[in-house]
Amino acid sequence: MSGLRVLVPVKRVIDYAVKPRVNRAQTAVETANVKHSMNPFDELSIEEAIRLRERKVPIQEIVAFSAGPTKSQDILRTAMAMGADRSIHVVVEDKDPQLEPLGVAKLLKKVVEEQKSDLVILGKQSIDDDASQTGQMLAGLLGWPQATQASKVEISDKTVTVVKEVDGGVETVKANLPMIITTDLRLNEPRYASLPNIMKAKKKPLEKKTLKDYGLEEQPRLKTVKVTEPPPRKGGVKVDDVDGMISKLKELGAL
């Protein structure tokens, strides 16, 4: 098997440890002066691509890709510090129409064709919109097999074996390359980038592009009408016995 060309899309999102707040206009989540980082599921994807190489799977190149504002370069540098060989950044500023999952999938299709990628490993979802659609849409557009929510990946020759998370257990699937894989939390534990690798990442190629470079001018299909905080949860009540519990449930209309 010749060397694989692996594409790993990554996204800049509000850090998972930050509690999001709705902005004053109630049009979106407040992002100004809020810590951002790489989407956790995308960290798993970068880590898995690197581990495949470390397990002697013949990988010619690992390319990290992101579409987003200028600050998205930070997560691409992180991906390269972890072990990606180079990166591509499609600049989409906050003032520009924002890409939806289908738009991202169309863009990734163009990138896959341009880079002649054999394998795309991406997070099963991003923690900002939780859409969990891009990988499946990309597989549909390319006509490639897919394995979602991967917890284990093995490659032998051109055959990929994936253990994937399903309700109540796991499922093992096999497919031939080229292929789309989306990652789940049990797949691995991402490494921390060492200081020497962070310094080396500054010298690795980071190519800047625009949607027009790929012949795309994506317009949103959805309009956010209003964003509000969830209502505060009400406190629980204590009951003395089973009869009291049944009475309370009837009172609340649950029975």
Side-chain angles (χ1 to χ4, degrees):
M1 180 175 67
S2 58
L4 298 178
R5 302 177 69 89
V6 183
L7 179 69
V8 185
V10 296
K11 186 177 182 181
R12 180 178 180 266
V13 298
I14 294 177
D15 190 85
Y16 72 93
V18 174
K19 183 178 180 180
R21 298 292 184 184
V22 177
N23 62 20
R24 291 184 178 181
Q26 293 188 320
T27 56
V29 171
E30 183 61 66
T31 58
N33 301 316
V34 176
K35 182 182 178 182
H36 285 66
S37 59
M38 188 188 301
N39 180 50
F41 292 102
D42 299 338
E43 288 184 308
L44 300 168
S45 303
I46 287 286
E47 177 66 25
E48 191 60 24
I50 298 163
R51 290 193 184 195
L52 287 172
R53 173 180 276 169
E54 290 173 346
R55 296 201 294 266
K56 307 304 180 183
V57 173
I59 292 179
Q60 178 179 337
E61 188 175 44
I62 299 172
V63 179
F65 170 87
S66 189
T70 302
K71 290 183 179 179
S72 295
Q73 293 180 28
D74 295 343
I75 64 167
L76 290 171
R77 292 294 181 193
T78 299
M80 290 189 289
M82 291 174 68
D85 300 303
R86 61 184 177 90
S87 59
I88 301 170
H89 179 207
V90 173
V91 181
V92 181
E93 297 294 355
D94 292 334
K95 66 181 187 311
D96 299 328
Q98 296 304 295
L99 289 169
E100 295 169 353
L102 181 58
V104 177
K106 289 179 178 179
L107 175 57
L108 287 174
K109 179 178 182 290
K110 297 277 189 179
V111 176
V112 166
E113 292 170 345
E114 176 192 63
Q115 300 298 316
K116 296 180 172 57
S117 305
D118 306 289
L119 177 64
V120 182
I121 308 176
L122 66 163
K124 70 171 184 177
Q125 65 193 82
S126 59
I127 62 172
D128 50 5
D129 60 18
D130 285 320
S132 190
Q133 297 173 344
T134 303
Q136 294 90 322
M137 288 178 171
L138 177 59
L141 291 172
L142 288 169
W144 287 9
Q146 61 175 302
T148 58
Q149 299 170 259
S151 61
K152 186 178 180 180
V153 177
E154 294 180 347
I155 300 179
S156 178
D157 293 327
K158 291 188 176 182
T159 301
V160 184
T161 303
V162 178
V163 179
K164 51 182 290 189
E165 303 279 345
V166 296
D167 291 341
V170 296
E171 178 182 14
T172 301
V173 297
K174 287 186 178 182
N176 292 329
L177 293 167
M179 187 176 182
I180 308 293
I181 297 174
T182 72
T183 58
D184 211 340
L185 290 174
R186 293 180 180 84
L187 180 59
N188 59 51
E189 183 175 344
R191 70 194 65 193
Y192 289 102
S194 65
L195 182 58
N197 286 339
I198 291 173
M199 300 306 293
K200 290 177 183 178
K202 293 181 179 180
K203 297 181 180 180
K204 290 184 177 181
L206 194 161
E207 185 178 3
K208 295 181 184 178
K209 293 198 171 187
T210 65
L211 290 175
K212 290 184 179 179
D213 292 332
Y214 291 100
L216 295 173
E217 292 185 7
E218 191 66 22
Q219 294 298 321
R221 290 171 168 78
L222 300 175
K223 179 181 179 180
T224 300
V225 178
K226 189 176 183 181
V227 179
T228 59
E229 295 274 3
R233 297 182 64 178
K234 297 180 179 179
V237 296
K238 290 184 178 181
V239 295
D240 297 326
D241 50 32
V242 174
D243 291 336
M245 181 182 68
I246 294 173
S247 298
K248 192 64 180 177
L249 289 173
K250 288 180 178 179
E251 180 185 329
L252 296 171
L255 289 179

